[in-house]
């Protein structure tokens, strides 16, 4: 099933996510392209439901990794479901408190230039020789997952599963998720 | 009881937080001042315990507000305990997706200059005429709480309670919390 839908002037899209529904506004992002805009921060119900659905898939993970800010609620909720597992958070800026931070470059779909992810060396220690689950809120190009995977490698951990609330534009068999955000193309 | 302790060359401090203990490194932040460094992001156990302790104090809140990134796990966990209440997240940069964002200036203790908090107008709508709980991870000067309070006012909500994992340097009777981070002064 394709997740590229025809744009026919509709204003909203009813997204099925984690067993519930959210009515989303359509936003034009290019002359012929619209996206359904979902903002997960603060949607306690969806995060809670998603953690219940996704946590069994991550049962083999010893620690999780995510990226600020929007990955944090799902990572926290999954870590809680997994018996208070630890998780680490990649930051988007190097912070003064960091000790020997690891770094990975990536280009998020919403950005115009390359960006960096940083992980404090203290957090990198928590990944070493561990089975790591990668957590994101929406997977579009997969660039953020790739950058987190590089950080896991650098830290000496092993990335064993990917989980996200949603995939955008296409299903991804390598990502456990709870719904798909379509992309709308005009004629 | 004072929370300014003498610095006598110790390397660590055992923080009692949310009914458990974390051994923290001491970090020098001025010629005569050391802080116990606690990083809450990823400490699933402490967040989970703190949400259990603090949520009854916020029972009258209809919605929560916090600030990225470190306030998010506690806000999510509290919102979950409060029956899947909604929460909104102040961002530290204005984002392209925001509609008529609200703005407040503040000077965090860790920053050298004034900064801004921004709340998307869509999120501001969720605060209007609501009883709002303010959530932060560590309250030091209280500047972040003050900025969030200004945003709640601008949105037409009513700030009715403050909650944090920790207060730093002093107890704050106006903030529900689960522990106090001391400040260490050398001679």
């Amino acid at each position: 099933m394709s997740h590229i839908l025809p744009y026919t002037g509709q204003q909203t899209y009813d997204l099925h996510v984690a067993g519930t529904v959210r009515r989303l506004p359509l936003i034009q992002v290019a002359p012929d392209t619209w996206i359904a805009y979902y903002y997960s921060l603060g949607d306690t119900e969806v995060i809670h439901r998603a953690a219940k659905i996704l946590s069994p898939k991550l049962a083999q993970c010893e620690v999780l990794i995510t990226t600020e800010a929007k990955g944090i609620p799902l990572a926290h909720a999954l870590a809680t479901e997994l018996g208070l597992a630890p998780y680490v958070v990649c930051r988007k800026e190097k912070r003064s408190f960091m000790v020997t931070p690891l770094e990975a470059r990536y280009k998020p779909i919403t950005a115009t230039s390359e960006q960096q992810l940083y992980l404090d060396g203290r957090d990198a220690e928590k990944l070493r020789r561990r089975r790591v689950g990668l957590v994101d809120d929406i997977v579009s190009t997969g660039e953020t997952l790739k950058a987190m995977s590089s950080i896991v490698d650098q830290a000496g951990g092993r990335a064993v599963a990917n989980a996200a609330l949603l995939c955008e534009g296409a299903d991804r068999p390598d990502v456990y998720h709870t719904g798909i955000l379509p992309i709308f193309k005009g004629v």
Side-chain angles (χ1 to χ4, degrees), chain A residues 12-77:
Chain A
T12 62
Y13 174 75
D14 286 349
L15 172 71
H16 291 255
V17 52
T20 184
V21 181
R22 291 291 180 269
R23 177 154 291 183
L24 306 180
L26 260 59
I27 294 180
Q28 189 166 18
V29 293
D32 64 344
T33 309
W34 287 254
I35 60 165
Y37 176 69
Y38 178 64
Y39 186 68
S40 66
L41 273 183
D43 194 341
T44 317
E45 185 193 12
V46 159
I47 299 287
H48 180 75
R49 284 169 168 266
K52 299 267 181 207
I53 293 167
L54 297 171
S55 57
K57 318 280 192 187
L58 302 184
Q60 83 279 27
C61 298
E62 296 166 285
V63 54
L64 305 178
I65 185 170
T66 192
T67 295
E68 68 171 330
K70 287 190 278 181
I72 296 175
L74 182 59
H76 176 80

Side-chain angles (χ1 to χ4, degrees), chain A residues 101-177:
Chain A
L102 303 181
E103 180 178 340
R105 288 166 179 280
Y106 73 122
K107 191 172 172 308
I109 193 171
T110 51
T112 50
S113 61
E114 236 186 18
Q115 299 188 0
Q116 278 84 42
L117 291 187
Y118 300 96
L119 186 72
D120 189 356
R122 299 181 190 92
D123 280 336
E125 278 299 310
K126 299 175 191 164
L127 304 181
R128 195 143 59 109
R129 297 200 196 96
R130 299 289 173 204
R131 295 185 300 274
V132 185
L134 281 59
V135 178
D136 200 359
D137 90 316
I138 302 177
V139 175
S140 300
T141 59
E143 279 282 306
T144 310
L145 285 179
K146 229 189 284 179
M148 289 198 285
S149 181
S150 157
I151 283 181
V152 172
D153 284 348
Q154 293 175 53
R158 189 155 55 91
V160 297
N162 302 313
L165 280 182
L166 296 166
C167 288
E168 185 168 53
D171 200 353
R172 297 239 337 199
D174 60 328
V175 179
Y176 298 116
H177 61 79

